[in-house]
Every structure is written in C-alpha cells, then in structure tokens.
Amino acid sequence: MLVPNYIEINRDQLKWGDIDLQKLIPDTHPARAIWAMSARFNLSIFAEQIRNDEGGRRSWDPRLLFSVWVYGYTLGVASARALERMMAYEPGLRWLCGDQVVNHHTLSDFRISEKAKLEELMSQLMALLDEDQLIDLRTITQDGTKIRAKASKYSFHRLRTIRDRVKVARRVVRQLSEKAEEEAERADERVQAAERRAAEEGLKRMESSLRKLQAEQAKVSPSKQEEVRVSTSEPQARKMKQPDGGWAPSYNVQISTDAKHRMIVGIRVTDSAADVQELKAGVAVVRKWCGRKPKRVLADGGYASRANVEAMDKQRIEFIAPWKDSDSREAGASALAGRAAEFRSSAFQMSSDDRLVCPAGKLLRVIGEHKHHGQNRVIYEADAGDCAGCAMRDGCCGSRRSPRRVDRVKETPAMLAYLARMQKAETQARYKQRSEVAEFPNLWIKSYWGLRRFTLWGKERAAKEAIWAALAYNIQQWTRLKWSPTAG
C-alpha cells in the first residue's frame, strides 16, 4: 500500500524575508489618500507641547497619529488597542507606520486632544474642501441621529441610591487620605496617589450624577420626581428612543450636510432628545467652521417651530421644514376642554373681513388679544344667541356653557412668508431631497462603519469622537470625489 508523501509544516523554523513597504498597498489604496490629505493640514497646534528637540525619547509625528485615526475610523475601528494590534498585519496601517507600532496610550491621548484643536482641524478641512470646490452651502440639511452612550442602561438609579453612593464615595476618599498620612513612609507614593485619584474621580462623578438628577427632578411635577433616574457612570447621558423602538442611554448627534457633495459641514453632540432646540446651534457651527452661513436649510418637521422660523429669518436663511398639522397640536387641548375632535380650533376658517367662521357657518368676532407662551394671540368669540340655539353646541362648546371662543396666533411677517413658501411646488420639490442628503452620512457612519455606540465616556469626549468621525467621513468622500494617485 502506497503511503502519501505530504509536505511537512515546520512552524519553529526561523525565516528571513524582504519587505517592500511601498508594495504592501496599491497606488489607489485609501491610506495613501489620507496621507496625502494630511500633508495639507497645519498640525503645528499639536506640536506645541512636544519638547524633545534637544534630547530625550523621540515623539510620533502628529501627521502620522492623525492619519492613523482617520484611517481607523474608515475601517470602522475606533479602539486604540485594536489599532495597535492591527499594525502588525493590516497593510494600510503597516504602510502608514512604516511597519512600526504606535503604543495605544499615545493614540488614545491624541484622540482626546482639546476639543478646540479638533475643531481647528475641522475648520482647516472645510477650507481645503472649499478649495477643491466640494463645499457649496447654497443648501444644507440639518438632521439628528441617536448614538448610544458608553454607559449601560443598568447604571441609571434613583435619588436614594445615588445619595447612598455619594456617601460611600466620600468615606472612601476620607479613608484613603487618612491611610496615606499613616503609611506615608512605608507605602509606595505612586500607588497611593493612583488610589486617591481614582476615588476622587469616582466621587466627582457621583456628585455630578446627584446634581444632574436634582436638576431633572426640578423639571417634572412632584408626583413624578421619585421616578427620575440618572446614570452614575455617565451623568450627561439620557435614555432616548432608538430606531428599533427600544430605549437606551444615548446622545443626540446633530449633523449638518452640504446638499451638493454631501460633506458634513457641522456636527454637534447634545443630551437633548428633541431636535427643535438644536437648529440655531447647528447653523452657528456651520458658520464657525466654514466661515460663512448657508443660504438655505432643509430640516424635518421636528425642527419646525415659530422660534426657528424667526431665527432663520433674522439671519436671512431660507428655512424649509414641514409645519406640523393643527390636529397634532390641538388634540390635547380639545380633549381637555371636552370638545369633539371635529370642533378643534383649526376647523374654524378665516373670513374675508378678519372674522372666523365656525363649522355651523356662524361668524366669530374679534374681542381682544393676549399673550400665551410668548406669542401674541387674537381672541375670537361667537354670539351668545348663535351658540344657544346651535345643534352642535355640546360638541363645539364642550364643558363651557358660554359662547365658543377661539384664539389664533397673530403671525409675524416672517411666519406668514414661511407658511406661504411651504405651499409652493418649488419648495416641496426641494424638500424631497432632504432625506437623501441628510441620511447619507448617518447611514455611512452608523451602518457602514458600525459607530452605533460611542467608545468614549461622557458628552465632552463623545463630541470629540463625533468630530473624528466627521473628519474621516469627509476625507473618505474627498477620496471618492477628488483624489487621484497621480495627484499625490
């Protein structure tokens, strides 16, 4: 019987080999594009803290650290330790680092640089993209997306639990201080300092959670204050509804996108679940980073408010967002007054002589004005005789036995112009491009890269990570639209 003669594998044998770093990746590899773009940045803001020109250990070039992080995010990798491990085998990282390994501590420290420095990088990128004619700003979209915080949903606790933990944290800090005084000569000072620092940071976090919870309790009625919970590991995170219908500790990431080339021209992280208060701040970021304001903003109905209409009008920015229908705004008020839904305020139509016509065809006259929630409102009232003999009285007047009153907001010229603009076919056609533009970067960052949860603790660091994601996204789009290997 013949015995097969197999090739023997010897993994203990040492082998030498030549490595041509330039041939590790093709000329069209994204790492080359990122390295080419990084050369156009002024990174001296990161070199100011380096003081090793006359001796000591050499430092990594900020250009390299910047390129590694941008490349990492385009791979969907947002972990310094993972990037360090990948430098041993991933071709793009091997080429960028010259087949050397950058310590994960160095990478982490660079990523959480001062936010002002990261914003300066974003401003520089906007200028470079503008130079390459990839920033238009005639039309931008504003949209919010929920990205989960690093905190667990099980870190949320009520007032009593947080107070108990604050007491424990204070006791630990006090005991460590007393222990340090007693064992000052025998113990390792570095170990003691590390223990005290960890305990003090824990106490600071617990006290921050307590202040946050007390502030949140002040916003709700006394009967609901007991149910308020705040995270003890990440106080600024709050539970927000997710696309799958569930709830999780999250931040609201506001993204402003240029409609022409779909570049991110502004990004912010907020702990507000609603979008309505975020439009002005979003436009301010665009103006800060790009050096000029947009001409037009497209947003969904979550941003439609009179305050936003007025704010955009003052800046001479055309605001396009669908106005919420009256039914959704008036349903609660009608039910509270005991009226039928068909007799809500919006069912009363305006006549040519500035009076309202009720569903029964009777006229209501103006009897005065008042201010409600900061808005001037005109009060209309029906004639007592018309209501008394009306077959619809019970459904229309509800629990009130007096003649029906209706108040209407006295719209400003800016609001009237906005409402008229939203009725135009041209405006509606423009609005149709909103979802395609606004959701493109959201889909790219969350679905393609998998950044559905921040990897850094706290709102401030989450904001930094959002800027890194925006930098990587824009450079990747620049690579797709503009870069060619022959151009370097």
Side-chain angles (χ1 to χ4, degrees), residues 354-369:
D354 292 333
R355 292 193 292 178
L356 286 182
V357 181
C358 75
K362 303 297 182 180
L363 293 173
L364 285 73
R365 66 186 185 281
V366 177
I367 63 169
E369 293 185 13

Side-chain angles (χ1 to χ4, degrees), residues 50-299:
I50 300 175
R51 295 289 184 271
N52 64 353
D53 53 328
E54 296 180 357
R57 180 180 296 178
R58 292 184 295 174
S59 302
W60 292 105
D61 188 343
R63 181 185 175 191
L64 173 64
L65 302 178
F66 171 81
S67 300
V68 167
W69 271 118
V70 170
Y71 182 62
Y73 273 99
T74 63
L75 296 178
V77 178
S79 164
R81 291 179 183 272
L83 287 174
E84 181 185 4
R85 290 192 297 269
M86 291 170 65
M87 287 174 189
Y89 61 85
E90 206 285 325
L93 287 171
R94 289 182 69 189
W95 181 86
L96 280 172
C97 299
D99 219 21
Q100 298 186 69
V101 175
V102 182
N103 183 274
H104 65 271
H105 286 296
T106 302
L107 290 172
S108 294
D109 291 343
F110 187 81
R111 180 167 60 153
I112 59 173
S113 299
E114 295 174 20
K115 188 181 176 185
K117 292 182 178 180
L118 300 182
E119 290 180 337
E120 170 62 22
L121 289 181
M122 200 67 181
S123 294
Q124 288 190 40
L125 180 57
M126 292 299 102
L128 294 172
L129 295 176
D130 197 16
E131 180 182 319
D132 291 343
Q133 299 181 340
L134 294 178
I135 299 293
D136 185 65
L137 291 191
R138 279 181 290 183
T139 301
I140 71 167
T141 64
Q142 182 74 26
D143 193 34
T145 185
K146 307 298 190 297
I147 295 183
R148 297 191 180 197
K150 194 170 176 65
S152 164
K153 63 181 180 180
Y154 301 108
S155 67
F156 283 73
H157 300 284
R158 292 188 178 96
L159 178 62
R160 181 176 178 180
T161 301
I162 295 178
R163 277 179 172 168
D164 289 344
R165 294 195 176 188
V166 168
K167 292 178 182 177
V168 171
R170 286 173 178 167
R171 185 167 63 249
V172 170
V173 170
R174 185 173 61 253
Q175 290 174 348
L176 287 174
S177 298
E178 293 172 354
K179 180 180 177 182
E181 293 176 1
E182 294 174 359
E183 303 178 0
E185 298 180 357
R186 290 176 295 168
D188 188 331
E189 292 183 3
R190 290 178 299 177
V191 173
Q192 286 186 342
E195 290 178 345
R196 287 199 305 273
R197 184 167 59 251
E200 288 167 357
E201 288 176 356
L203 174 59
K204 184 178 179 181
R205 190 168 57 249
M206 289 299 169
E207 290 176 337
S208 178
S209 298
L210 181 59
R211 289 192 298 270
K212 178 73 172 178
L213 187 141
Q214 291 170 337
E216 292 297 319
Q217 283 185 329
K219 298 177 183 178
V220 301
S221 62
S223 61
K224 296 182 179 180
Q225 289 181 353
E226 181 63 25
E227 299 303 316
V228 176
R229 293 177 175 86
V230 167
S231 171
T232 52
S233 59
E234 199 166 351
Q236 291 176 310
R238 61 184 299 176
K239 288 187 178 180
M240 299 182 185
K241 193 169 185 180
Q242 304 299 308
D244 60 4
W247 294 78
S250 307
Y251 293 108
N252 185 353
V253 181
Q254 293 287 314
I255 302 178
S256 305
T257 309
D258 185 89
K260 188 171 184 179
H261 297 292
R262 302 181 185 181
M263 293 291 181
I264 294 177
V265 290
I267 193 165
R268 293 177 60 251
V269 172
T270 174
D271 57 1
S272 173
D275 293 332
V276 68
Q277 302 293 336
E278 307 304 325
L279 182 64
K280 289 170 61 178
V283 170
V285 170
V286 174
R287 197 165 191 168
K288 177 182 178 182
W289 288 355
C290 298
R292 64 187 190 275
K293 66 182 180 181
K295 293 182 178 179
R296 181 183 301 113
V297 177
L298 306 182

Side-chain angles (χ1 to χ4, degrees), residues 1-7:
M1 180 178 178
L2 297 176
V3 178
N5 186 16
Y6 294 118
I7 297 173

Side-chain angles (χ1 to χ4, degrees), residues 297-357:
V297 177
L298 306 182
D300 62 30
Y303 295 88
S305 71
R306 288 181 172 85
N308 284 338
V309 170
E310 296 292 337
M312 295 300 101
D313 182 71
K314 285 181 180 179
Q315 298 184 54
R316 297 184 180 179
I317 297 173
E318 183 181 335
F319 181 48
I320 297 177
W323 188 249
K324 295 179 182 178
D325 58 27
S326 298
D327 290 346
S328 62
R329 294 174 181 269
E330 299 169 358
S334 296
L336 190 63
R339 302 189 191 103
E342 60 268 27
F343 297 106
R344 61 191 180 276
S345 297
S346 58
F348 291 66
Q349 303 298 319
M350 185 68 69
S351 69
S352 58
D353 57 349
D354 292 333
R355 292 193 292 178
L356 286 182
V357 181

